[in-house]
Structures are given as C-alpha cells and as structure tokens.
Amino acid sequence: MKQTFLLLLVSLSVFAQKSVESFDSKILGEKRQITIGLPASYENNPTKKYPILVLLDGEYLFEPFFGALNYGAYWDDLPETIIVAINQNSPNTRESDCGIDPTEGLPTKQASRFFEFIGGELIPYIQNKYRTAPFKMIAGHDTTAAFINFYLYKENPLFNAYISLSPELDPGMESQVANSLAATTKQLFYYQSSADGDIKQIRESVEQLDNNIKSITNPLLDYKFSSFPNASHYSLVLYSIPDALYQIFASYKPISSTEFTDKIVVLKEGYVDYLKNKYQIISDKLNLQTSIRINDFKAIEAAILKNKAYEELENLAEIADKNYPKSMLASYELGLMYEKRGDAKRAASKYLRASQLEEIGNLTKEMMFNKYDDMKSLTIKK
C-alpha cells in the first residue's frame, strides 16, 4: 500500500508541469512573478481545453491547490485545470494590490489597477498562450479573499467560481456580495470558509454574509459555507481547498456505486437519458465538453441488463459511436442487445464487426472473437 501511494505521488509530481514567469504588466507599470501549473495531459492531448484557476497569494496557495487538483484529476474526480498563481510576497504588494478605500468601500487606485491587470492583461495572456475552456475560477485568503468579491460587482462577472478562504470583509460587503449573488443571471459558484479558531472579527462577518446568502433563492447560485472545528485562520486553508473544489465540480464526478444504486438502477426506464443528462449538466454548469467515461457507459449498461431493458442498448450504442467512433464499443452494445433478444445471427455479426475495431476499456478483440464464436455456434443446425 505504501509503495502504491509513493508511486502515485511520483506520478503527480513528474507529469504535472510547473513554471515561473516574469510578467511585464503595462497596467501596473512593473513586472510581476506568476507561477503556471499545467495539467499532466497538456502536452500529449493537443485538442483538450482546460478551465483556469487564478490564485492570489500565489506564493503559498499554489502548492496546496496544485496538489489537490492533480490528485483529484488522477482519479478523474476533478477536471485537469490550468493554475495561474500571482506572487504577492516578493516584493510585498499584497496590501496595495488589494487595498480598499474605507470611505467608498471600493478598491484604491492601485488596487483598481491590480483588478484591471488580472482581467485586462493576465487572463487574455493565458487564454492566448494556452488551450483554455471558458470556465474560470479565482481564490484568495483573508485580504485577497475579500478582494475577489469585487469581480462580483460587475454586471457580467469575469469569473464563474469564487473560493473565499476566511475573507477579511470590509464593512458593507456582507450585504453587497449577497445582493450581487442574488442578482446573477449566469451560473455562479461561491464558496467561503472559516473555523472555530479563526480571527473573531473575520468569523463574525463571514457568518453574517453566510446568513445573507442563505436567504437567496436564485437557482443559478451554487453556494457552500464550511466552518471547520479545531482549525485556525491558517490551517483552515488545507481543509477548505478540497472542500471547495469538490463543491464546484460535484457534477463532474463519474458515476459512483451510491449513485448507481440510489438513482440509476431504481429507474423503470430512461437509463440512457440519465447518462445524457449527466453530461449535459457538466456542459451547462461548467462549460466543459468531455467525452462520456467508459466506466459510466458500463454502469448504464449494467442497469439496463439488470432491468432487462434491452431496447435501450441501441440508444447506448448511438452515443458510444459519437463519443468513441473508432472503438468497438458501439458494435459491442448492439451485439449485446441482439444476444439478449435471442437473435444470435445478428449478435454474431455485430461482435465480428467489433473485433475489427479498436479495443477500449475492458473490451478486447479476444473477447469479441469469443462472443462471435458463442453466437455463431447457436446458429448452426444440428
């Protein structure tokens, strides 16, 4: 077990790519250090596009986010993501980057430039240089967590998801943020966290914002607040990161044994529709276009077989052909349908066809030849 875990850590560190760049900003009038984390598959998958995560406090938030995302992607629970971390420690620009004018409750002139730098320079640069999907996230901790809320004040917010770790909210934000979230006309994810050992003033304002957001009924808002026991202002970050990522990407996860048992196999019909809807939700909520997982095909196939709804295998074959046109999956599903219907001749034909196509998952040419032989033997008159 220890060896397996060690190999996993080596795999994550070797294949995920990290680089540090000096970004020359015209808006800020200076160079800023940014760290780019590319997914493990980036070089070998030239057509795939990836969501973006922008990190403030990048000098210390990069590694925990990078590790969590790569671990989740390894098990296909989280999508591979491009991380863009802004170093605000060397030189120390954190307070000026995220400064708020106490009289107006808005960013100071320098903070406004930093705000525009992210949206007007950094994001376009990343989108032009790398293959990015439309889905964009931003995260920060205390001072920077409060600052990311200003993007919500725009009529069309730049980011789709906000991860606010123990935000040091300015007076008035408890109402303004809630009002912005209530008025959203596009899908938004909002996560915030605190802890019983958090700074008292921060915890109280976060809890007030939580109460305000909980009264919102906008179906386009996906919100979660977590308060961690036995955690401090700093340790809550490590608890919060996977919690936030799994909230945002809840719809992305593959079909689990619980989902199969509680939601799929109990259906009387519409198993293939369930699969289509699952991936349509991923597209609608996350703006991610992803092929249907092989294991998800097999889960739906298992539900169909268990409930003897064999006619749905034809519909399953149709979407298999769209997702994996060069593989044997579609022909196999049709062969299985004819086999279950007792039509050995047509089943043999489909299995023979499948044997000539690419293997996929646990479906092999040998398996297809064996099924062909089995079906063929049933057609021979004795």
Side-chain angles (χ1 to χ4, degrees), residues 172-193:
M173 269 192 172
E174 299 94 333
S175 298
Q176 184 60 51
V177 170
N179 291 339
S180 297
L181 293 173
T184 184
T185 57
K186 73 174 188 179
Q187 178 75 54
L188 285 180
F189 296 85
Y190 193 83
Y191 175 91
Q192 65 171 350
S193 63

Side-chain angles (χ1 to χ4, degrees), residues 180-235:
S180 297
L181 293 173
T184 184
T185 57
K186 73 174 188 179
Q187 178 75 54
L188 285 180
F189 296 85
Y190 193 83
Y191 175 91
Q192 65 171 350
S193 63
S194 184
D196 57 8
D198 203 354
I199 298 168
K200 182 180 179 181
Q201 183 178 354
I202 290 178
R203 187 177 70 250
E204 289 175 349
S205 61
V206 169
E207 289 174 349
Q208 180 58 57
L209 176 55
D210 174 54
N211 288 331
N212 293 342
I213 296 176
K214 282 179 178 176
S215 66
I216 297 173
T217 57
N218 191 335
L220 293 174
L221 174 63
D222 189 317
Y223 169 67
K224 183 176 184 181
F225 168 62
S226 292
S227 182
F228 298 99
N230 304 315
S232 69
H233 178 67
Y234 300 102
S235 65

Side-chain angles (χ1 to χ4, degrees), residues 28-43:
L28 294 175
E30 61 187 13
K31 292 184 177 180
R32 285 298 181 91
Q33 182 176 294
I34 59 173
T35 302
I36 308 295
L38 292 181
S41 72
Y42 190 84
E43 295 297 335

Side-chain angles (χ1 to χ4, degrees), residues 38 59 135 155 184 224 264-265 284 286 289 306 315 330:
L38 292 181
E59 64 279 359
F135 194 77
E155 185 175 348
T184 184
K224 183 176 184 181
I264 300 175
V265 79
D284 293 344
L286 303 175
Q289 305 301 321
K306 184 175 180 62
N315 297 331

Side-chain angles (χ1 to χ4, degrees), residues 109-126:
K109 288 184 178 180
Q110 172 60 21
S112 294
R113 285 192 286 269
F114 183 69
F115 181 94
E116 293 299 327
F117 154 68
I118 293 174
E121 284 185 323
L122 185 59
I123 292 293
Y125 168 75
I126 296 299

Side-chain angles (χ1 to χ4, degrees), residues 1 15 19 93 137 147 288 293 300:
M1 186 66 181
F15 297 112
S19 62
T93 59
M137 301 171 283
F147 183 78
L288 294 178
R293 301 170 177 91
I300 297 301

Side-chain angles (χ1 to χ4, degrees), residues 25-241:
S25 169
K26 293 181 181 179
I27 292 176
L28 294 175
E30 61 187 13
K31 292 184 177 180
R32 285 298 181 91
Q33 182 176 294
I34 59 173
T35 302
I36 308 295
L38 292 181
S41 72
Y42 190 84
E43 295 297 335
N44 296 325
N45 201 341
T47 61
K48 186 174 181 178
K49 295 183 178 181
Y50 304 84
I52 302 171
L53 170 62
V54 174
L55 295 178
L56 308 189
D57 290 320
E59 64 279 359
Y60 69 85
L61 286 184
F62 177 86
E63 293 297 344
F65 269 100
F66 192 58
L69 279 165
N70 279 292
Y71 183 85
Y74 182 89
W75 300 109
D76 203 19
D77 277 347
L78 300 173
E80 291 184 297
T81 300
I82 295 173
I83 301 178
V84 184
I86 305 170
N87 187 327
Q88 296 177 276
N89 185 46
S90 182
N92 190 346
T93 59
R94 190 173 190 263
E95 297 302 322
S96 58
D97 285 344
C98 301
I100 298 175
D101 187 325
T103 59
E104 297 183 356
L106 294 172
T108 62
K109 288 184 178 180
Q110 172 60 21
S112 294
R113 285 192 286 269
F114 183 69
F115 181 94
E116 293 299 327
F117 154 68
I118 293 174
E121 284 185 323
L122 185 59
I123 292 293
Y125 168 75
I126 296 299
Q127 290 174 326
N128 288 330
K129 185 173 181 179
Y130 301 104
R131 299 188 306 277
T132 61
F135 194 77
K136 298 183 289 293
M137 301 171 283
I138 189 168
H141 180 218
D142 59 51
T143 298
T144 63
F147 183 78
I148 68 176
N149 287 318
F150 287 116
Y151 289 99
L152 290 169
Y153 294 5
K154 295 289 187 179
E155 185 175 348
N156 183 27
L158 176 61
F159 295 96
N160 307 92
Y162 299 77
I163 301 175
S164 181
L165 310 175
S166 185
E168 192 173 355
L169 300 173
D170 211 54
M173 269 192 172
E174 299 94 333
S175 298
Q176 184 60 51
V177 170
N179 291 339
S180 297
L181 293 173
T184 184
T185 57
K186 73 174 188 179
Q187 178 75 54
L188 285 180
F189 296 85
Y190 193 83
Y191 175 91
Q192 65 171 350
S193 63
S194 184
D196 57 8
D198 203 354
I199 298 168
K200 182 180 179 181
Q201 183 178 354
I202 290 178
R203 187 177 70 250
E204 289 175 349
S205 61
V206 169
E207 289 174 349
Q208 180 58 57
L209 176 55
D210 174 54
N211 288 331
N212 293 342
I213 296 176
K214 282 179 178 176
S215 66
I216 297 173
T217 57
N218 191 335
L220 293 174
L221 174 63
D222 189 317
Y223 169 67
K224 183 176 184 181
F225 168 62
S226 292
S227 182
F228 298 99
N230 304 315
S232 69
H233 178 67
Y234 300 102
S235 65
L236 68 83
V237 169
L238 290 178
Y239 292 100
S240 301
I241 289 173

